[in-house]
Amino acid sequence: MDYQQNQCQHLDLIPFNNKFFCRLCGIHMPEDGSIGIKALNFSFPGYLNPIQNLKKQWNRAVPIGSQPGEYQKQRLSLIDYMIEWSEKLKLSMNSLFLAVQFLDYFVSQKKVDPVQYRLYGATCLMLAAKSIELDERIPFISKLRRYTYLPYATLDFRRCECQIIKQLNWNLQCTTLIDWAEAVISLGIVYESDELAQSENVLKEKSTNILQQQNNQQIKQDIFKEHLDQVLKQPIVAPKQVNEKVQEQLIKLCVSVLKDGTFLDKDPAELTVSVIGCARKASGLKHSIPKCLFELLENVEPKFQESLTDQFLKQVKQPTSVLGRAFTTDLDFFSLQNHKHRIV
């Protein structure tokens, strides 16, 4: 989808929780006069209290329990397969995150044969799609079998589905990290007053260039000082394109956190703020959490920002898709001899 900037003028404001929001696009309007930036696809009318909505989302997090050792060994590979399947089925990132956390929770509560992890993973993907996607996007069992290459019968998928639903107590309306991040993006996490972190270096570089010009061309000292003062007074603010970069970094970071798995049991509010701060910093913005954003999120501390930043920087670049790996590299795993391990 092409990035399109929200063009709302924010003339009609509405108060919630002692803060003001635009009634037309829902963006937060800080008291210090900062103007938020966000994409057009994140513009929603501000009819409901966005702060209460965000808190409700945090309270609907998928519970996370202790996972078996064998599952921890296969978890990253399983997520890669689920990413591949979701791409083939054209499912949203929200469905993928929900499916992974369904699988994490179920495996932590029930003993599952490691041979069947992918069967349960594919079933979780179908359940997440039923919870989120439009009807025409929901991959029912026949389509799921065709796209995942799993040699299990329709009955196997149905039994898996019933087991997972019962374990979740028939509650599929849960939220994940990507939902929390998108909820905050819709309120605005980049401002026109944001400065780039490298602005000071840019100024020094410009000063050095001017100094070289002065030496080469022997400009008079007073003219040089006047020119230098004008350069130093020029405000350097983050362009609106930085908002697109922040969104991209935010998605990458959320996927990284999902694959790592060690942060998913942390406090949802603190994790959300930490991810946003890390994404802003990785996009080159000077302040990870500016004062207006800190107040919007009601002073929630980004306790995991440094840990996430270190992990994000050290992470080896991996493909977001392992397209084709499910069938070509694991024929032995899904051979007929393993087909006997069916659910009873």
Side-chain angles (χ1 to χ4, degrees):
M1 180 184 294
D2 294 334
Y3 180 87
Q4 294 183 348
Q5 191 72 42
N6 174 37
Q7 301 297 330
C8 181
Q9 299 299 313
H10 316 306
L11 300 178
D12 188 6
L13 303 184
I14 183 171
F16 289 116
N17 286 48
N18 298 320
K19 302 175 182 66
F20 286 95
F21 300 86
C22 177
R23 190 189 299 269
L24 298 179
C25 71
I27 203 168
H28 173 230
M29 301 299 294
E31 294 181 358
D32 61 5
S34 301
I35 299 177
I37 304 171
K38 68 175 179 178
L40 186 62
N41 59 314
F42 282 103
S43 297
F44 306 101
Y47 296 134
L48 302 176
N49 188 326
I51 304 300
Q52 289 184 3
N53 176 54
L54 183 59
K55 289 180 178 179
K56 288 179 180 178
Q57 288 202 31
W58 285 334
N59 291 331
R60 289 164 50 203
V62 180
I64 302 295
S66 178
Q67 299 167 354
E70 185 61 33
Y71 177 74
Q72 293 179 12
K73 294 178 183 178
Q74 297 190 33
R75 186 177 181 277
L76 183 58
S77 175
L78 287 167
I79 293 177
D80 282 335
Y81 278 94
M82 294 174 74
I83 290 175
E84 173 196 340
W85 298 334
S86 65
E87 288 177 352
K88 287 181 178 180
L89 296 166
K90 295 181 171 55
L91 301 180
S92 66
M93 192 68 72
N94 306 71
S95 294
L96 171 66
F97 273 66
L98 186 59
V100 171
Q101 294 198 230
F102 279 167
L103 182 61
D104 284 345
Y105 175 69
F106 182 79
V107 172
S108 69
Q109 302 297 314
K110 291 288 186 180
K111 186 176 180 180
V112 178
D113 187 344
V115 174
Q116 297 176 339
Y117 281 154
R118 290 172 189 168
L119 170 62
Y120 281 92
T123 307
C124 286
L125 203 58
M126 176 178 65
L127 285 173
K130 287 183 176 181
S131 175
I132 295 177
E133 304 288 345
L134 297 174
D135 289 347
E136 57 266 23
R137 287 288 183 90
I138 297 174
F140 292 100
I141 294 177
S142 58
K143 187 176 182 180
L144 199 62
R145 293 180 62 204
R146 188 168 67 252
Y147 277 76
T148 60
Y149 303 109
L150 297 176
Y152 293 100
T154 300
L155 182 61
D156 298 326
F157 282 92
R158 287 178 180 172
R159 288 174 176 172
C160 272
E161 185 178 17
C162 290
Q163 290 179 13
I164 297 169
I165 290 176
K166 289 179 180 178
Q167 190 61 45
L168 290 167
N169 198 25
W170 294 85
N171 179 22
L172 304 182
Q173 299 299 315
C174 301
T175 56
T176 63
L177 176 59
I178 195 71
D179 299 316
W180 311 330
E182 288 182 350
V184 182
I185 288 177
S186 68
L187 303 179
I189 59 174
V190 177
Y191 302 91
E192 292 183 357
S193 58
D194 272 323
E195 296 181 1
L196 296 173
Q198 65 268 30
S199 58
E200 296 179 1
N201 296 330
V202 172
L203 288 176
K204 290 180 181 178
E205 184 179 349
K206 288 185 177 181
S207 301
T208 303
N209 293 337
I210 294 173
L211 202 55
Q212 291 175 352
Q213 291 178 9
Q214 189 261 349
N215 293 331
N216 296 333
Q217 302 176 9
Q218 296 184 353
I219 304 175
K220 291 182 179 180
Q221 191 69 19
D222 55 340
I223 299 178
F224 166 71
K225 287 183 178 180
E226 182 181 353
H227 190 187
L228 182 59
D229 290 339
Q230 290 178 356
V231 172
L232 294 174
K233 290 179 181 178
Q234 289 179 358
I236 299 182
V237 297
K240 293 187 177 182
Q241 289 76 10
V242 172
N243 186 50
E244 181 180 6
K245 186 176 180 180
V246 171
Q247 288 185 202
E248 293 175 355
Q249 293 289 348
L250 192 61
I251 297 299
K252 290 180 181 178
L253 187 58
C254 287
V255 173
S256 176
V257 172
L258 180 72
K259 287 186 173 184
D260 180 78
T262 57
F263 293 95
L264 296 178
D265 61 343
K266 307 300 182 184
D267 180 78
E270 294 173 352
L271 181 59
T272 305
V273 178
S274 300
V275 169
I276 291 171
C278 183
R280 281 176 52 91
K281 204 70 174 177
S283 302
L285 294 178
K286 188 174 183 178
H287 303 289
S288 57
I289 304 290
K291 183 179 178 180
C292 50
L293 183 57
F294 190 63
E295 293 176 351
L296 169 65
L297 300 173
E298 299 191 342
N299 303 323
V300 177
E301 293 288 342
K303 293 184 178 180
F304 314 111
Q305 182 177 324
E306 292 186 5
S307 302
L308 289 172
T309 302
D310 292 340
Q311 175 191 327
F312 196 50
L313 293 176
K314 294 177 182 178
Q315 183 183 17
V316 179
K317 187 176 181 181
Q318 297 178 347
T320 56
S321 172
V322 286
L323 196 61
R325 220 181 268 179
F327 191 65
T328 58
T329 66
D330 282 320
L331 279 174
D332 290 338
F333 182 84
F334 287 130
S335 61
L336 293 178
Q337 63 181 358
N338 286 329
H339 188 56
K340 63 183 181 180
H341 297 287
R342 295 176 62 176
I343 302 172
V344 293

